[in-house]
Amino acid sequence: MSIKSIATSLRRTITPHRDSQSEDTTLRVAADETVTVSFTVNGRPATVDVAPRVTLSDALRDHLGLTGTHIGCEHGVCGMCTVVVDGDAARACLLLACQMEGAEILTVEGLGKQGDLHPLQSSFSDHHALQCGFCTPGMLMSSYDLLKHEPGIAAEELPEQMSGVLCRCTGYRHIMDAVADVSDSYPDGIPAPRNCAEAALLPRASTGGRSAADGDQEVAAATGPGEIHVPQSEPTVTIDVTSEVTAGVDELWVVIDDTEQMVRCLPGAELVADFGDDKYQGRIQVALGPVKLSFLGDIHVVERDPVSHSLRALAQADDPSGGTVQGTVHLKVDPSGEGSVIRAHAEMHMTGRIAQFGRSLAGDVSKDMFSQFTAALDATARGEEPVVGGAPPSAFRMTLRLINSRARAITQRIKRKD
């Protein structure tokens, strides 16, 4: 199927996708403008607003959060980005997202899910065909397309038919065994995907078109709050911080209930506009070594319960370089001895340079910022001046705290073993 998938991709690159009922019209879009494209991904309707240069692979990963589609060579050679488009395997890096209007797309996320794996996924696990895992999505999608079109294919034909996806670990024998096992088990046809559902797939904020300079951001802030869409996919970073503080619950809630005071406790953050109805515009700066980012966006406090002393907020912000952060934040305060315990839980979806830190580092940075936030919240509640205030976090101090945190974690693991 490798030659077929490349041919399908090239054919679509030359001839844009159109619904059979649509007219043969040409839409011209400037390079710095965006176009709205609607299609179906894993049975879910999705709409993205992308620049005309954005590939399908980037749209899936950066705009819809479907990072199972891996990107390798970006020339249609390695096969890492293989997906199924309208029933045929195709290279997502050779397709433009704007060509996909009305298309039906299947990615590796649609094959199966935890607790209900597709037979191909189970077979890859049983035959130890995963190794580093980088080629696995492409192998799974290519083999799914192969067994769908040629059920019961002989094992000796698999090396040639699967040659379009390159394995960097050279684990081809186990991969071929896994595919051959499924082919033998289902000679009449491969089972259908098990994770396709009729539910809206919410997009991440667009990272494709005209990027905003700081002046443009101020203009955007004056126009009013935007609608916040939090992706349904797995978050880039999940943050759980529990901090014991000396201030009482009621003292802390006075600060949390005042959004302006609460925002001042978050390092590098400031409130730009208050639109009413618990909707705000805010800015937060992040600095880690030479990487300096400034995100401006919308905040909506959707729950604020003075009885349970809990708060839930949605956030969505953009950086002028094209990065985005979207997520949900939960805060809860409970009594603990003479003081209180603050629990913070956040699920963040990131694109751009901040996401390139990697999950581990991005998680460490986020947890450190939340730890500083709870400390400043405690100080403010007790009538003291918060240590961090509105200043962006120091890369040097943050690095020292991260090193100390890792060292403490290693020490605790060693003690538990002893």
Side-chain angles (χ1 to χ4, degrees):
M1 277 308 136
S2 58
I3 297 176
K4 177 183 176 182
S5 65
I6 295 175
T8 301
S9 304
L10 291 174
R11 183 171 67 251
R12 288 180 175 273
T13 303
I14 298 170
T15 307
H17 178 92
R18 294 188 185 90
D19 191 300
S20 58
Q21 303 298 321
S22 64
E23 297 180 2
D24 185 7
T25 59
T26 300
L27 174 65
R28 296 187 180 276
V29 182
D32 62 343
E33 294 180 348
T34 61
V35 59
T36 301
V37 187
S38 297
F39 43 78
T40 301
V41 184
N42 301 329
R44 300 170 172 88
T47 300
V48 295
D49 188 45
V50 295
R53 66 181 179 276
V54 173
T55 62
L56 175 59
S57 55
D58 285 337
L60 291 172
R61 292 178 58 85
D62 296 339
H63 294 261
L64 294 176
L66 297 173
T67 55
T69 301
H70 291 172
I71 299 176
C73 66
E74 298 189 82
H75 287 78
V77 176
C78 70
M80 303 297 166
C81 64
T82 300
V83 296
V84 175
V85 180
D86 289 339
D88 290 320
R91 302 291 210 254
C93 74
L94 294 181
L95 300 174
L96 297 176
C98 61
Q99 297 172 269
M100 295 294 103
E101 180 65 35
E104 293 189 7
I105 301 168
L106 175 67
T107 72
V108 69
E109 288 90 348
L111 278 184
K113 57 186 175 181
Q114 187 173 0
D116 189 19
L117 294 178
H118 190 272
L120 273 170
Q121 294 171 311
S122 297
S123 185
F124 268 61
S125 176
D126 293 341
H127 288 274
H128 308 288
L130 301 173
Q131 297 202 46
C132 81
F134 193 73
C135 76
T136 303
M139 291 289 186
L140 287 169
M141 298 311 296
S142 183
S143 58
Y144 172 81
D145 176 76
L146 173 64
L147 299 184
K148 179 182 176 182
H149 288 87
E150 299 185 34
I153 186 171
E156 55 267 21
E157 296 183 46
L158 291 177
E160 179 181 356
Q161 294 293 344
M162 292 288 296
S163 62
V165 184
L166 305 181
C167 172
R168 300 183 180 191
C169 302
T170 64
Y172 293 106
R173 177 45 54 200
H174 290 168
I175 293 172
M176 296 305 110
D177 290 343
V179 178
D181 191 358
V182 177
S183 179
D184 292 340
S185 300
Y186 299 93
D188 297 327
I190 188 77
R194 297 184 175 179
N195 193 29
C196 293
E198 295 294 336
L201 184 62
L202 298 180
R204 298 182 176 192
S206 173
T207 60
R210 188 182 283 113
S211 60
D214 289 339
D216 295 330
Q217 288 187 326
E218 296 296 347
V219 173
T223 62
E227 186 176 359
I228 299 176
H229 294 293
V230 178
Q232 295 177 331
S233 55
E234 180 184 357
T236 308
V237 174
T238 299
I239 304 157
D240 284 291
V241 175
T242 301
S243 298
E244 295 275 354
V245 296
T246 57
V249 173
D250 293 334
E251 295 173 309
L252 288 167
W253 186 252
V254 169
V255 181
I256 294 174
D257 199 36
D258 185 334
T259 304
E260 186 174 352
Q261 277 199 84
M262 183 174 61
V263 170
R264 283 203 298 265
C265 294
L266 188 62
E270 63 174 313
L271 204 62
V272 176
D274 183 345
F275 301 114
D277 296 327
D278 257 339
K279 295 181 179 180
Y280 310 89
Q281 195 101 33
R283 177 187 288 109
I284 186 167
Q285 297 176 329
V286 179
L288 188 62
V291 180
K292 293 179 174 60
L293 306 172
S294 178
F295 290 90
L296 184 139
D298 297 297
I299 306 163
H300 183 194
V301 179
V302 293
E303 294 178 16
R304 195 193 295 265
D305 187 353
V307 177
S308 62
H309 300 102
S310 61
L311 175 147
R312 185 170 73 91
L314 307 179
Q316 177 173 287
D318 299 290
D319 175 69
S321 67
T324 66
V325 173
Q326 296 163 278
T328 60
V329 179
H330 297 254
L331 280 179
K332 193 173 189 311
V333 183
D334 292 307
S336 177
E338 297 182 358
S340 307
V341 58
I342 304 174
R343 293 182 174 87
H345 173 80
E347 296 181 356
M348 312 303 293
H349 301 258
M350 305 175 178
T351 65
R353 288 190 293 172
I354 191 169
Q356 293 169 3
F357 288 166
R359 287 178 184 264
S360 178
L361 181 55
D364 283 340
V365 172
S366 301
K367 289 177 182 178
D368 182 78
M369 292 179 66
F370 269 87
S371 296
Q372 293 182 67
F373 166 70
T374 56
L377 202 63
D378 181 40
T380 303
R382 289 184 284 104
E384 301 177 3
E385 188 68 23
V387 177
V388 289
S394 162
F396 177 72
R397 289 197 301 270
M398 185 181 294
T399 302
L400 288 180
R401 281 192 292 269
L402 295 179
I403 292 173
N404 290 334
S405 175
R406 291 289 177 88
R408 286 194 299 271
I410 293 172
T411 302
Q412 290 174 357
R413 284 199 297 269
I414 293 174
K415 287 181 178 179
R416 284 196 295 268
K417 290 180 179 179
D418 294 339

